[in-house]
Amino acid sequence: MRRVALAVAVPLVAVTALALNVARAEQAPVPRLIQRLQPTYLTRLHQAVLEFRSHKRELPLPAGLNDYRVCLHVHSNLSHDSPGTREQIVAAAQVTGTKAIFMSEHPAPQYDFFADGLRGISEGVLFYPGAEARGFLIYPTKTTDIRAPADDQALIDEISRQGGLIFFCHPEERTNWNLHRMTGMEIYNPHADLLDEEGGWETIFMPQGRLSAAWLVELWGVIRTFPNEIFCSIFDPNTRILAHWDELCQTQRVTGISANDSHASGGVVITYEAGDQVVIRETMGDERARLSAEEINLTKLLGRQPQVGEVLLRVQFDPYEISFGYVSTHVFAPDLTEAALLEALRQGRCYLAFDWIADPTGFAFEVRNGEEAIPMGAEAKWQPGMALYASTTIPAQIRLIRNGQPLSQVSGDSLACSLTEPGVYRVEVWTTLAGQDYAWIYSNPVYLRP
């Protein structure tokens, strides 16, 4: 989802005419995802976002802490499924205000994901190396053979002993939740969010299950015009994952994070190839569709004979700057160092935000016991007289959740509530944009035990 590049200047009129020669699928109900990709809706959504942001006020940060925007679960070209370079990732981080990137490469025999992974500060962006493996995001503190532990619990114990972090990754695929001493879990992943759409991600460029050049041209246009809004078209709350998180929090502290799952590999490339064929491939090379150039009269449409291997159209959905700008984990830490960020994530001093809606910096959530402030992620014994406070920089719908169940909701920029019983308390902040409800912020809990 990016400014899409036309590698060859194919006139839009010609490509649209191409569609007239492509077999069309029979009429069928339009998937929700495709409805959200219509220019009329995207225009309304864009205007609604601008209106929402116009009401922002400034709020102070907690004393001694900064709010760092962090992206976790990011792949580079060390992984087999990403073409991304360090330079591209740094540039995207600078554009989006991202201060730290926690990498998550797919381990392979030819490299050491920790020793060879991106690490250190590059042009103001802090990198930390990690891996996506065995259903986890793994951030050790030294070179580690993550295949060696006999079972998942042994792996968790090893990473914990090192002082590293380990999160449930892609929890929508997990069946074994009976594990302990986890750092936390992904509570939102855009890849999982996309796959639960009717027809999966291919729906984006093949809405009826078949190629339509007319739709590709329209999609090309809306991506250029609404790169952020088109990415958020996949959003819907994963209530099942949130329920798992809430259940785990009843017995242990579990830091909730966003997973960017950034690859910069989601897109299509249309080329002219030998045998007079027009071929559509995914960015990483997998073929998705093939057409006869003669049948669609491509030479006449172009006004010339294309060369074999010529790229006719390139559409990229998920460049790093759009992926990073969509969602992130905001971490409260005293400084931008490995030690400070690792400790803050371990302690749950962070919240998830859909930054495409608005910069959430200034969001606050805590429980107070007299003069004592109990921050996000902290655990304390419940006592009578405790009160909960939340505030946002823009008026929205603040929903209070206790033990996974809605407790109350207010419309505005603050929430204050006296607590009458122990529980695991967190808040969600939502807003309605262009007639649709969107989550803006998920806090981490405050754990008030009996």
Side-chain angles (χ1 to χ4, degrees), residues 108-119:
Q110 66 269 26
Y111 70 89
D112 178 333
F113 74 84
F114 188 81
D116 300 330
L118 301 182
R119 189 177 188 186

Side-chain angles (χ1 to χ4, degrees), residues 242-257:
L242 292 173
H244 281 303
W245 183 40
D246 288 322
E247 183 178 0
L248 290 173
C249 287
Q250 300 310 301
T251 57
Q252 55 188 309
R253 292 164 68 183
V254 183
T255 299
I257 60 168

Side-chain angles (χ1 to χ4, degrees), residues 167-187:
F167 300 91
F168 284 132
C169 168
H170 287 294
E172 73 279 0
E173 300 173 356
R174 175 159 291 277
T175 57
N176 177 20
W177 296 92
N178 188 27
L179 297 166
H180 306 284
R181 293 179 292 281
M182 292 288 300
T183 307
M185 65 180 283
E186 297 176 350
I187 60 172

Side-chain angles (χ1 to χ4, degrees), residues 261-274:
D261 211 351
S262 303
H263 291 76
S265 63
V268 294
V269 181
I270 306 178
T271 57
Y272 175 73
E273 300 191 5

